Amino acid sequence: MNPLSRCFLYGIVDLGYVAPENVATVTTRLLEGGIDILQLRAKERLKKEIVKYAEAMLPLTKAAGVPLILNDYPDLLNEVEADGCHVGQEDFGVAEARELAGRGCVVGKSTHTLAQAHTAEREGADYIGFGPLFPTGTKPSAEAIGLAAIRTLHEQVHLPIFCIGGVKLENLRDIMGAGARRVCIVSDLLLATDVANRTAQVKSVLSFAA
Ligand code: TZP
Ligand code: MG
């Protein structure tokens, strides 16, 4: 069975939004709200800093039984007891990521087209991200792809698919209505006044739609 088959809401502790001293607190809030899987995303940070943030998150995610995924650096899985890594189209192939990780782990891949999603499945990814659905300040350089391909994607690719990019509590029902089952949300959770409450609200919409 896919280790992520019961994960529907993917959260990211993104250091673009979270100050280093708040990494543990924000992680706790996301977990309190019922996040199913968490990624640490720390662009332009040194690897040794990323290791430190991951170490702050790990006891919390482990206690909650929630997988922790490191963005960009599969090799850090040699140093950190995280559960997996996430790679983009310009990073590594899935097999290469597994080799760099040096041990069994979850490998996720970012995809932006149906063709890339098929390739990721063939390469043996454990899950994919699909997006950005909408323009997003979290990844301003990426072109939005809209909702049109979501249903076909779910008919053709049999991996956990996390729709990402501009997903918010407010548009979640539309995204589910377009065929999505799982989502990844960054800013709408991290910028909420009450992160745990926002996370719980999103979870309840997702479970209602499941
Ligand atoms: N990959 C595609 S869109 C995105 C990433 C990391 C950012 C999503 O962030 P937000 O704030 O939920 O739009
Ligand atoms: Mg990357």
Side-chain angles (χ1 to χ4, degrees), residues 72-95:
D72 290 334
Y73 299 109
D75 55 306
L76 286 184
L77 292 189
N78 292 294
E79 288 177 59
V80 178
E81 280 181 54
D83 301 280
C85 59
H86 184 92
V87 291
Q89 289 293 317
E90 278 84 46
D91 297 328
F92 306 102
V94 173

Side-chain angles (χ1 to χ4, degrees), residues 180-199:
R181 293 190 64 216
R182 299 174 159 85
V183 291
C184 177
I185 304 184
V186 188
S187 52
D188 195 56
L189 299 183
L190 298 181
L191 298 177
T193 328
D194 184 335
V195 171
N197 185 265
R198 189 74 161 188
T199 306

Side-chain angles (χ1 to χ4, degrees), residues 87-148:
V87 291
Q89 289 293 317
E90 278 84 46
D91 297 328
F92 306 102
V94 173
E96 207 178 349
R98 290 196 195 284
E99 208 173 302
L100 287 165
R103 62 181 169 87
C105 68
V106 170
V107 177
K109 183 108 182 175
S110 294
T111 66
H112 319 294
T113 63
L114 267 177
Q116 288 175 355
H118 281 286
T119 304
E121 186 169 45
R122 261 197 321 271
E123 283 186 332
D126 295 296
Y127 74 88
I128 57 170
F130 185 70
L133 302 181
F134 302 113
T136 171
T138 307
K139 200 169 184 177
S141 57
E143 202 179 316
I145 60 176
L147 304 181

